[in-house]
Amino acid sequence: MVIVDDVTLCAQASGLPLDRVRELADFARDRQLSLVEVLVEKGKVDEHRLLKELAAHLDVPFLSQELRQVPSEVLAKVSPALAIRHHVMPVEEVDGRLRVACWDPLDWRAWDDLSQVLGRPLDKVICPRAVIDKMLKASYGIGADTVQRMLADRSDKDLQVGPARTTNLSSEEEAANEPTVVNLVNQILADAIRANATDIHFEAFDDKYRVRYRVDGMLEDVSMPVSVKLLRLALVSRIKIMSNLDITEKRLPQDGRCQVSLGGQEYDLRISILPGVHGEAVSIRLQSRQMVKLDLESLGYHPEEQQKINQLISRPHGLVLVTGPTGSGKTTTLYTCLSKINIPSLKIITIEDPVEYWMENILQMQIHDEIGFTFARALRSMLRHDPDVMLVGEIRDRETADIAIRSSLTGHLVFATIHTNDAASAFIRLLDIGIEPFLVASSVIGVVAQRLVRKVCPQCRRKVPMDTLGEYEQGIIREAGPLDDLALWEGQRCEYCRFTGYRGRSAVAEALLVTPGIRRLVQQREPAERIKELACREGMRTLRESALITVRDGKTTLAEVLRVTQEDF
């Protein structure tokens, strides 16, 4: 409820005319909104400045940044449900009085309710809303209020969990469908999507239940309530129900998929369940069903590699391979190539498992191994539809490789991925799975090996003096060119980069074009080292050289290059 004194106080703190504040107060009163919120949203008042001025007028402390760690005995004074419902955060206890951070100091009714429930004197600390959100998440964990409500509704018998527990199917399915469990899983998924995570890992241990996100290729722990370990059976059952898996099967691995939507954007979830000693582990791969609008430069490719790839995709036929470990952006690169040649005069068909990107005017097919619709079978069927360009999600076996190669020899441009460490090893991989050397040499027109390096956070990066590097590091940098006027950067870890020092990723690659010399070496079954030597003499830039140029451009750090391309050093 907005009172007259609050209007005058807000006019003084915001700097807005009193009449304008009265108008906004009437708007807030009619819609039962907070005056502070309306001042920020409709009055366009800077929240930080407004709250700081209110703190000064009310003579209470102002907390501009989150506390790294709140003592556990202080956290125990306020339950997660109460803190989240009133959007407050206990920060410290001084002389028997509990200091509580709040973002709306004028919500007197909520403050009175909080004091009455806690039954003790409270002191206000004013704090921006986003800062309180971060402290609530870090201290209590994601979905803490949800976990607390669910545990409060259960008996002690329901909370006995462990490997020797007898499963009650009906109660377990009921628990998985409870609104609290559904909300908790949804909260975790939404938080992971907002963090730009590619994977979520749920792992059960004897004394805890761990949740981790993979962001920019690295795993990071997620703050969760300690008591969430008591709900691990319900969590796993809920995820199984979402992906149409068997909740009664706990001894064998299971794989499934489902779709979720957040903010109007749809996401595909690939779910894998593994049985463990202390419970089932869950891995969820998050993939956005987005329309591809990328270019090679935005992916991080240097002009020399861009030129070589443009030569490959302009060819009328042949096999183009993109290689690298899982999660190195191979599919993104392939779709970027397809987007450049996606014109009405060409028919393009893709075979994937799963379809990771959506693209207009392209026929995309999803593999279903469980019903026998494999890559090989899909390839054979695809050829009857008279395609000009084909994309094979992955060459996994001899049959798929054989059909892809023969398709490239009969007038089709074929793109495919394969798992090898570098470009030269792709030829050896095809030979190892049984393809004849003359077929490999005559069909493959180019190989692109790729890695993803994390980019230095643009908000907190700072220059690193060259003399702080060791002799070994300076020697590596020297290989990329002279050290004169070279600027190295590193991130200082800020909120924008989730305190990692990195934000986003960039591709580094080596592009090998097949020349008559390369073709002869492949036909003679020469080792990958010989093929790579010749490719370098003919102008190929290796992964290491490409990565070092990215360092020289100030996009990443030397430590990141050493981590990602260590097999090249």
Side-chain angles (χ1 to χ4, degrees), residues 47 51 63-67 83-84 86-91 100-105 111 125-140:
E47 181 188 11
L51 294 179
L63 181 64
S64 60
Q65 294 183 338
E66 66 267 25
L67 300 176
I84 292 172
H86 290 288
H87 206 80
V88 297
M89 179 71 198
V91 292
V100 179
C102 65
W103 76 275
D104 185 359
W111 190 258
V125 175
I126 299 179
C127 182
R129 177 164 36 181
V131 175
I132 293 180
D133 284 336
K134 289 169 191 166
M135 288 196 291
L136 287 171
K137 180 178 173 183
S139 299
Y140 292 115

Side-chain angles (χ1 to χ4, degrees), residues 15 17 77 111 144 156 177-178 229 234 242 257 297 336 351 365 378 436-437 470 546 548 551 563 566:
K77 304 291 184 183
W111 190 258
D156 292 339
N177 286 311
E178 285 185 17
K229 65 183 179 182
M242 288 171 55
R257 53 171 51 92
E297 184 177 3
T336 303
I351 314 167
M365 292 192 292
E436 293 294 332
S546 179
L548 289 175
V551 173
R563 181 185 70 85
Q566 54 185 306

Side-chain angles (χ1 to χ4, degrees), residues 330-346:
K330 300 185 296 296
T331 303
T332 302
T333 296
L334 283 176
Y335 263 100
T336 303
C337 293
L338 290 184
S339 67
K340 293 177 68 69
I341 59 175
N342 186 13
I343 57 177
S345 60
L346 291 179

Side-chain angles (χ1 to χ4, degrees), residues 2 60 83 123 135 181 187 203 239 340 343 399 415 420-421 423 450 468 479 492 532:
V2 179
V60 297
D123 290 330
M135 288 196 291
V181 174
Q187 282 179 275
E203 299 160 318
I239 295 170
K340 293 177 68 69
I343 57 177
E399 186 178 11
F415 295 92
T420 60
N421 286 332
Q450 179 172 305
T468 62
E479 292 185 19
Q492 296 302 293
K532 186 171 186 176

Side-chain angles (χ1 to χ4, degrees), residues 40-270:
V40 173
E41 297 295 332
K42 291 188 66 66
K44 306 301 180 184
V45 178
D46 180 75
E47 181 188 11
H48 189 277
R49 185 175 65 85
L50 173 64
L51 294 179
K52 190 173 182 179
E53 290 295 325
L54 285 174
H57 282 83
L58 295 171
D59 195 24
V60 297
F62 177 70
L63 181 64
S64 60
Q65 294 183 338
E66 66 267 25
L67 300 176
R68 288 292 181 161
Q69 188 172 5
V70 177
S72 57
E73 59 272 14
V74 174
L75 286 176
K77 304 291 184 183
V78 182
S79 70
L82 190 62
I84 292 172
R85 183 168 72 250
H86 290 288
H87 206 80
V88 297
M89 179 71 198
V91 292
E92 63 178 342
E93 188 174 21
V94 180
D95 298 330
R97 298 181 66 89
L98 185 64
R99 290 188 174 180
V100 179
C102 65
W103 76 275
D104 185 359
L106 305 182
D107 192 350
W108 308 107
R109 180 177 299 175
W111 190 258
D112 290 340
D113 290 343
L114 188 63
S115 300
Q116 187 173 4
V117 171
L118 295 177
R120 59 179 301 157
L122 304 176
D123 290 330
K124 283 184 181 178
V125 175
I126 299 179
C127 182
R129 177 164 36 181
V131 175
I132 293 180
D133 284 336
K134 289 169 191 166
M135 288 196 291
L136 287 171
K137 180 178 173 183
S139 299
Y140 292 115
I142 297 174
D145 56 334
T146 301
V147 173
Q148 184 186 14
R149 284 198 304 271
M150 184 169 182
L151 294 179
D153 293 337
R154 290 185 167 200
S155 66
D156 292 339
K157 182 179 179 181
D158 292 329
L159 300 182
Q160 293 174 1
V161 295
R165 179 186 175 215
T166 301
T167 300
N168 185 328
L169 174 59
S170 60
S171 63
E172 192 169 326
E173 186 169 1
E174 289 173 3
N177 286 311
E178 285 185 17
T180 46
V181 174
V182 173
N183 289 339
L184 180 57
V185 173
N186 290 348
Q187 282 179 275
I188 294 172
L189 290 174
D191 185 67
I193 289 171
R194 294 190 185 101
N196 293 319
T198 56
D199 300 85
I200 310 173
H201 296 271
F202 299 80
E203 299 160 318
F205 298 94
D206 183 37
D207 58 343
K208 65 179 180 179
Y209 194 75
R210 182 166 67 172
V211 178
R212 293 190 290 176
Y213 298 159
R214 188 176 294 279
V215 181
D216 290 338
M218 304 296 287
L219 283 173
E220 58 181 55
D221 280 311
V222 179
S223 178
M224 295 293 294
V226 175
S227 53
V228 77
K229 65 183 179 182
L230 302 175
L231 303 178
R232 54 191 176 190
L233 293 177
L235 282 173
V236 175
S237 295
R238 173 59 193 164
I239 295 170
K240 286 181 178 179
I241 290 172
M242 288 171 55
S243 50
N244 294 317
L245 298 178
D246 184 1
I247 67 171
T248 65
E249 181 56 72
K250 302 180 183 297
R251 300 167 300 172
L252 296 174
Q254 297 188 69
D255 295 314
R257 53 171 51 92
C258 66
Q259 295 177 3
V260 298
S261 178
L262 179 67
Q265 177 67 56
E266 291 187 341
Y267 296 85
D268 285 320
L269 274 57
R270 296 173 63 186

